[in-house]
Amino acid sequence: MKYSAKVLDAASRPTAREFPALERPPVIWDDDRWWRFTERTDLHETHYLAVHAADGALVALAPLLLTRDGGGLLFYDVPKMTGNLGAFGDPAHLTEDERTRWEELTPALERARPAQYPSVALSVFGSHHGIVHATGRTADERREVLAELPRLLEDAARFLGCASHALLYATDEQAKTLGPAAADLGHVPAVLGAESVLRLDAPDWDTYLATLVSRKRKRANRELREYAEAGFTTVIREGADALTGPVVDLQVALRAKYGLPGGRPRVERDFAAIRETVGDSALVLSAERDGETLGFVLYLRSGDALFGRTAGFDDDRAKGVYFALTYHETIRWSLANGVRDIWYGLAAYDAKKLRGCDLEPRHGWFHFTGEGHQVLTETVRLQGDGENGRLRGLGPNSTTPQGD
């Protein structure tokens, strides 16, 4: 075969010095520094799939997140995300018969999931597919690797002793090649949502506002006026020191609100890891009043793009701040500082599309084995159909092929 692959652990993977494509790439999630951040998680084992050509040359590298027992992060723990609508899916967009079947399958999921561990996902934090091709590779050569990737991932899952695996968060363009290759192996396709990207082509804030239709321009001006009248100012901090104590406090409160584990120790550990790996790319916009930080949004910058990482707001004292800070103030700063793309992540599609984001679908392919595999296989197919229906319901530029 033209391509082979080897599973590497974090200690033996090539660095940016050895694999230059990892050195400050356009997408922060492909950056060697971000991969070092991911390697510090205690929720997954981080491995890598090193793809080699017939002559032995390393032509691509992709992260593998392995989960031993169901304790992984929801968006990368393959059995856990299957059937969990917090990850993706919307049964309201299924047919009546499909919804009935969904409800019939749900009670069996808890019994079926344990047999699917260990499990491995080809993806990286940031809800990103993660594959990085060597510099100088042509488009055709990249497609050749993608066509082999489902087979290579299946071999890697077998090597790691995994009962299930998935290739997650591929783009529409990648799906054109990955979909048929995965289908040939019997892997189940699913639409996982859409990355929301705001593309800025105006030279400054006033010109940007002038390009908006009247109702959107009025909304932006109203939200900014209310923000100012409530006494808020925006403070910009860049670099590792941007993650201040008040930002930590707001993040701790946010995690507690949604019942996420770890509390303050986890937040402090994660922020320390960000400072030590991608700290020089950090940008924090804070909404402050009378010296207090009542809201923030953290971005990571790579070239002319910002990538949203996390945010937090004081629900009682920062009402209405979210949109002013996360969209208008972020856009204003971006236009003044050479940023042309803002990646806002998955979910909350209605609000993001309303504010001008393009919705770029993300795809996955799943494979389950062993006892109960039929339950998860059927569930994830319905789940993906429901998510696809949700995106289609959002109108033009939101539809997506299944890739199979």
Side-chain angles (χ1 to χ4, degrees):
M1 295 183 180
K2 190 167 184 178
Y3 296 100
S4 61
K6 182 178 180 181
V7 175
L8 307 176
D9 60 25
S12 60
R13 73 154 173 91
T15 65
R17 177 178 298 178
E18 299 151 325
F19 196 69
L22 297 175
E23 180 68 33
R24 307 284 172 154
V27 176
I28 192 72
W29 318 128
D30 293 335
D31 195 304
D32 177 81
R33 298 169 304 144
W34 182 249
W35 286 11
R36 286 192 282 112
F37 171 83
T38 301
E39 290 163 4
R40 293 177 62 157
T41 181
D42 59 355
L43 298 173
H44 299 267
E45 292 178 20
T46 306
H47 299 268
Y48 294 89
L49 189 70
V51 182
H52 296 269
D55 63 0
L58 179 62
V59 297
L61 196 63
L64 301 174
L65 298 176
L66 187 146
T67 312
R68 291 286 177 187
D69 57 4
L73 287 171
L74 174 60
F75 300 107
Y76 317 98
D77 183 329
V78 176
K80 182 191 287 188
M81 69 191 297
T82 300
N84 190 323
L85 299 178
F88 68 100
D90 187 351
H93 288 91
L94 298 174
T95 67
E96 185 176 349
D97 288 345
E98 288 171 334
R99 286 196 299 273
T100 298
R101 183 57 182 153
W102 171 270
E103 292 169 0
E104 292 171 348
L105 289 165
T106 299
L109 285 172
E110 289 301 317
R111 297 191 301 274
R113 285 191 182 109
Q116 301 303 317
Y117 293 102
S119 181
V120 66
L122 192 156
S123 66
V124 69
F125 293 172
S127 297
H128 186 64
H129 57 84
I131 186 167
V132 176
H133 299 271
T135 55
R137 301 282 289 173
T138 68
D140 285 343
E141 288 171 331
R142 293 176 181 225
R143 282 191 289 269
E144 286 180 350
V145 170
L146 291 180
E148 294 293 320
L149 200 57
R151 174 183 65 82
L152 297 174
L153 175 59
E154 193 169 80
D155 291 344
R158 192 176 301 112
F159 173 81
L160 292 167
C162 292
S164 63
H165 63 269
L167 196 159
L168 303 177
Y169 306 113
T171 65
D172 269 352
E173 185 61 30
Q174 291 170 325
K176 293 175 183 177
T177 301
L178 288 168
D184 287 345
L185 297 174
H187 298 179
V188 180
V191 174
L192 306 177
E195 176 68 50
S196 304
V197 186
L198 184 62
R199 293 188 166 83
L200 303 172
D201 56 8
D204 53 50
W205 173 251
D206 289 337
T207 305
Y208 167 78
L209 278 181
T211 66
L212 301 180
V213 297
S214 176
R215 60 185 173 80
K216 291 186 177 182
R217 184 166 59 251
K218 289 178 180 178
R219 180 189 298 113
N221 285 325
R222 184 187 71 247
E223 289 172 344
L224 281 172
R225 184 177 63 254
E226 291 172 349
Y227 178 76
E229 288 174 350
F232 287 103
T233 58
T234 299
V235 177
I236 311 293
R237 296 181 177 89
E238 299 181 64
D241 294 334
L243 298 169
T244 61
V247 167
V248 173
D249 294 340
L250 288 168
Q251 183 69 9
V252 170
L254 177 73
R255 291 182 63 84
K257 175 182 176 180
Y258 289 102
L260 298 174
R264 182 172 294 276
R266 176 169 295 282
V267 172
E268 290 179 340
R269 185 177 61 199
D270 285 352
F271 280 7
I274 287 176
R275 291 187 194 99
E276 293 166 16
T277 55
V278 290
D280 60 341
S281 294
L283 170 73
V284 173
L285 277 71
S286 298
E288 301 191 7
R289 184 172 61 194
D290 298 330
E292 280 192 281
T293 298
L294 299 180
F296 82 94
V297 57
L298 165 64
Y299 299 99
L300 300 175
R301 181 171 184 172
S302 186
D304 63 358
L306 291 183
F307 297 82
R309 175 57 185 165
T310 191
F313 297 87
D314 185 315
D315 290 340
D316 295 328
R317 295 187 293 163
K319 296 184 186 301
V321 167
Y322 176 85
F323 291 118
L325 188 67
T326 306
Y327 291 95
H328 312 317
E329 292 288 74
T330 294
I331 293 167
R332 196 201 307 260
W333 184 90
S334 295
L335 290 169
N337 289 274
V339 169
R340 289 298 173 259
D341 294 329
I342 306 173
W343 293 43
Y344 281 109
L346 282 69
Y349 302 122
D350 292 293
K352 291 172 180 175
K353 185 160 189 177
L354 186 65
R355 282 162 174 78
C357 290
D358 293 331
L359 303 183
E360 300 182 355
R362 294 294 182 257
H363 303 262
W365 295 269
F366 294 75
H367 184 66
F368 302 100
T369 66
E371 184 178 355
H373 69 90
Q374 299 94 337
V375 171
L376 285 96
T377 297
E378 191 174 356
T379 297
V380 82
R381 186 180 294 279
L382 290 172
Q383 196 173 355
D385 288 346
E387 185 67 27
N388 195 34
R390 187 213 311 255
L391 294 183
R392 289 182 181 277
L394 292 172
N397 304 319
S398 305
T399 58
T400 172
Q402 285 278 4
D404 56 343

